[in-house]
Each structure stands twice: as C-alpha cells, then as structure tokens.
Amino acid sequence: MTTRRSKGFGALLVLALAGQAAGCASLPRTSYTASQAAVATVPNIPEARVYSDASVETFTTLAAQQQNRKGFSYLALSGGGGDGAYGAGVLNGWTASGTRPDFTMVSGVSTGALIAPFAFLGPAYDAYLTEFYTSGVAATLVQSPDITNVLFGSGLFGDDRLRDLIGRYVTPDLLAAVATEHAKGRRLLVVTANLDSQRAVIWNMGAIAASGAPNAVALFRDVLAASASVPAVFPPQLIDVRAGEAGFQEMHVDGSVVTPVFTLPQSLLLRDGRLRTAGKADIYVVINGRLEPEFAVTRNNTLSIVERSFTTASRARSRATLTTTYAFARANRIGFHLTYIDDAAPTVTAARGFDTGYMRALYEAGYAKGRTGRFWENTIPAVPIVKEAVAAATR
C-alpha cells in the first residue's frame, strides 16, 4: 500500500530508523540458511508460489492450462493504500458499462492484492469492493496507533487488525469459488516481498485454494495480509515453510517493496521473451495512484523530505515498470491498456490515505470513468515537460 500515503507515513519511517539506531531488541526468530531458503516450500502446498525472477519455463508451467483458451485477458492491479478505492470504482463502473471481460489472469500487489480475489471472481463480488473501500471499514486499520510498537515491536499497528479484516471477507466459500475458476485454467496471482531472501514472491492463489490443504484458508489470508503490510506500519507476516526436515518461518511484507505492480515476469521482460497465446491478448493495468509528477515546494524538514522522496521513488518505479511492459506488449502485438488517477480525480490535501471521505470521492471518480467503457489509455503518459514541448510545437 504505497503509492498514496497518509501525512504521517514519513514520520513512521523516521521512527523506525530511530529505533534501529537505538539498537532496540528484535523479536525472536528461528534462524535458517540461504541454502534452506532456496528450496523451502509451503507444507501441503508445494505449488503455492514461485519467485518473480524464475525461469520462463517455470512461468510457462504456471500458465499452461491457459494456452487452450481462445484469448488472453490479463488484469494487473497496483499498490496504493487507500487509493485502491480508485481501482474498486473503476472495476465496478466497468461492470456497469457492460464491457468488462472475464479475465484469464489477475495479479495484485499491496492494496491491489486485496482487490484481486474479487476482481478475479467477477461482477458478482463487486459489492465487496464497494463495502471495503467506501463503508469506513478500511479506516479502522489506521486508528489508535501505538508508537511503542515501532520502537519495540514490528509495526505502528502491532495487532492483527489487517489480517482480521481480511478474514471477514476471505472465507472457505470464497476459496471454493477461486478453486472452481482455477480449475478452468484461470490464474490469480499475489505478490509479496520476502525480506529474508530480498526477492519478490508470486503466489498462485488458485493453487492454494484448490489444494484442499488444512492450512489453505490461513495461508490465503496470510498472503493477502503480507502483500498489504506496509513496513513499520503493519506487522510482517511470518509464513511457515519447510526445507527437508527443517521447519522455519519466512518474513513477508508489502509487495510494493519489490514492485509497484506485477505485469510480467522478469524472465520475459528482461530477455525479450515471447508470449504465445491462441488468440487475441490484452493486458489491463490499473494504477491505484498518480503517475504524473506534482509540483510542490518541499518543506525543509526530515519528515517532509522522507515523505516526498518516497512518493517520488514510487512514481518513478511505476513508470519504469509500465514502460518496460508497454515495450514488451508492442513487440508481441499485445493490447496495452492503462488507467491511473489523473487530474480529474478529487484532490484532497488535508486528509488522504485511508480517510473515508477521500476514498468515497475517489471511488466515485473511478466508477464514473469505468462506466464509460472507454477510459483506457494505450500509451504511457508523457511527463509535464514533454507535454509542454508538444503543445508548444503544435501552436
């Protein structure tokens, strides 16, 4: 949940760094080795995940059943905290337009991970997105912070409120519905950051749901909570794994730490791979945040500098990912479709993040755009200086 943050997030990072500098005692963990990490699997569900830097062949196996379909329609949902209200509104408005497709694959990072299961299951689950992002329930995630948890625990909100909220929506019935779609060859993917290995992990949520394993529901919830667990704000998720006879826990946090949005694996994007489909292929990318730079004179204090730097880095990384994906799509004749929060969206400076009023306004803006059915951009937006140069040249 990174692209749009509350005003106090910079303070949280500073406090976390201060805690490290003070040498605060860390919470105990079982040690394990790099060689064990390399072969670790989730008990009862060995096909639960792959690393984002895995080989093309690994991802081909993951998507093997999809190749029998007539086309390929992929929805990628980015991080963005409370700005996820935009993506929820876009999807529900898209439903109202009557043009929303049945996605072959859906991926989610951070707040996008919380949207992804409902987007994957289709319009019948639109009401869940409306409730989560507009009812005020999301605002409860950031109520009553405890500063001591930053210094002596593992997050400002040190309890399990995020995972408990996810548990209200992620039920055995939802897993059964995901498993049914997985059996049809569709895929639901969620990204987390493994801090121990410093690698992005791609979780095959359909395989988890279809496994029938006794730990399936708990793991499904853990992965969603991990993907949305902003470091220093929410506690990380410790996920049980095994390497041979040894059992230990990996530490997973917000997927946006490693990638703002997951479109295609590195093995394809970086090695000029080819994506073969039996029919027309389209990729739809929903950025739950702004891409274009916003000018503001930054206050000359630590908190403002940290916050501004974080926002700048996030937008730069999003644009870099989109640029690479766009180039790949063009090379492979894949339709590229992008939507993001633009200047037409509400601008609320006093309260962003998980402020309910802000999220409702953003949801409505996304809904209105999605309802047109013709809201996608097919290129990466130019930065303002480029826009100004083009405008000057055409005068």
Side-chain angles (χ1 to χ4, degrees):
M1 295 184 178
T2 55
T3 307
R4 174 77 58 177
R5 301 180 190 277
S6 64
K7 289 290 184 180
F9 189 69
L12 301 182
L13 294 177
V14 173
L15 284 171
L17 293 172
Q20 291 178 352
C24 296
S26 60
L27 300 177
R29 292 187 64 202
T30 299
S31 180
Y32 64 102
T33 66
S35 58
Q36 289 175 316
V39 297
T41 58
V42 177
N44 307 312
I45 319 176
E47 69 280 14
R49 84 272 181 86
V50 297
Y51 284 107
S52 67
D53 53 5
S55 66
V56 173
E57 291 73 24
T58 297
F59 281 96
T60 299
T61 301
L62 175 67
Q65 295 186 43
Q66 299 167 10
Q67 296 180 12
N68 296 324
R69 300 172 66 94
K70 294 182 179 180
F72 184 85
S73 181
Y74 178 22
L75 174 68
L77 299 156
S78 84
D83 281 6
Y86 173 76
V90 163
L91 284 168
N92 288 4
W94 198 4
T95 296
S97 76
T99 61
R100 177 175 162 181
D102 181 23
F103 303 111
T104 311
M105 180 181 289
V106 175
S107 73
V109 179
S110 197
T111 197
L114 303 183
I115 298 172
F118 307 111
F120 178 76
L121 292 175
Y125 288 79
D126 282 357
Y128 290 90
L129 293 177
T130 305
E131 178 181 342
F132 189 88
Y133 286 99
T134 67
S135 68
V137 65
T140 64
L141 294 172
V142 290
Q143 292 175 351
S144 304
D146 186 349
I147 298 299
T148 61
N149 281 327
V150 176
L151 300 177
F152 302 103
S154 55
L156 183 65
F157 304 96
D159 51 26
D160 291 326
R161 67 182 73 181
L162 175 58
R163 194 181 185 283
D164 290 344
L165 181 58
I166 289 170
R168 290 172 51 179
Y169 297 93
V170 177
T171 64
D173 287 343
L174 184 136
L175 259 71
V178 170
T180 296
E181 297 307 310
H182 179 79
K184 297 176 184 178
R186 300 178 64 214
R187 293 293 178 264
L188 172 60
L189 309 177
V190 166
V191 180
T192 66
N194 182 332
L195 286 188
D196 297 331
S197 297
Q198 293 189 318
R199 297 168 77 185
V201 181
I202 313 302
W203 294 87
N204 188 342
M205 305 302 280
I208 295 172
S211 69
N215 56 324
V217 174
L219 179 62
F220 202 104
R221 293 171 178 171
D222 284 344
V223 171
L224 292 183
S227 187
S229 291
V230 178
V233 179
F234 298 110
Q237 295 297 309
L238 298 174
I239 296 179
D240 293 324
V241 296
R242 294 197 67 83
E245 298 299 318
F248 47 91
Q249 292 181 314
E250 298 172 340
M251 181 178 286
H252 290 256
V253 297
D254 190 342
S256 290
V257 168
V258 284
T259 181
V261 61
F262 177 73
T263 52
L264 295 164
Q266 295 175 25
S267 50
L268 284 173
L269 292 177
L270 299 181
R271 301 176 191 174
D272 193 28
R274 291 292 181 265
L275 183 66
R276 295 183 177 87
T277 60
K280 186 176 184 296
D282 290 281
I283 180 167
Y284 300 89
V285 184
V286 177
I287 297 295
N288 294 301
R290 301 177 189 268
L291 287 174
E292 298 172 331
E294 294 176 291
F295 176 80
V297 177
T298 307
R299 295 179 182 177
N300 192 14
N301 63 62
T302 302
L303 301 187
S304 296
I305 293 169
V306 169
E307 183 179 13
R308 189 72 171 170
S309 298
F310 217 96
T311 301
T312 301
S314 178
R315 293 185 189 183
R317 291 169 60 236
S318 292
R319 292 183 69 93
T321 299
L322 290 172
T323 299
T324 308
T325 302
Y326 174 69
F328 179 89
R330 289 198 62 184
N332 288 275
R333 297 183 180 180
I334 298 171
F336 178 85
H337 315 276
L338 170 67
T339 186
Y340 58 95
I341 300 175
D342 56 25
D343 292 339
T347 54
V348 181
T349 57
R352 290 176 172 177
F354 288 96
D355 175 77
T356 301
Y358 172 72
M359 286 192 289
R360 287 174 180 167
L362 200 53
Y363 173 90
E364 292 299 331
Y367 186 91
K369 186 184 286 189
R371 193 171 183 176
T372 68
R374 299 180 301 276
F375 57 96
W376 297 102
E377 297 188 26
N378 303 117
T379 59
I380 310 300
V383 297
I385 190 171
V386 175
K387 289 183 178 179
E388 293 169 4
V390 171
T394 55
R395 288 190 187 120

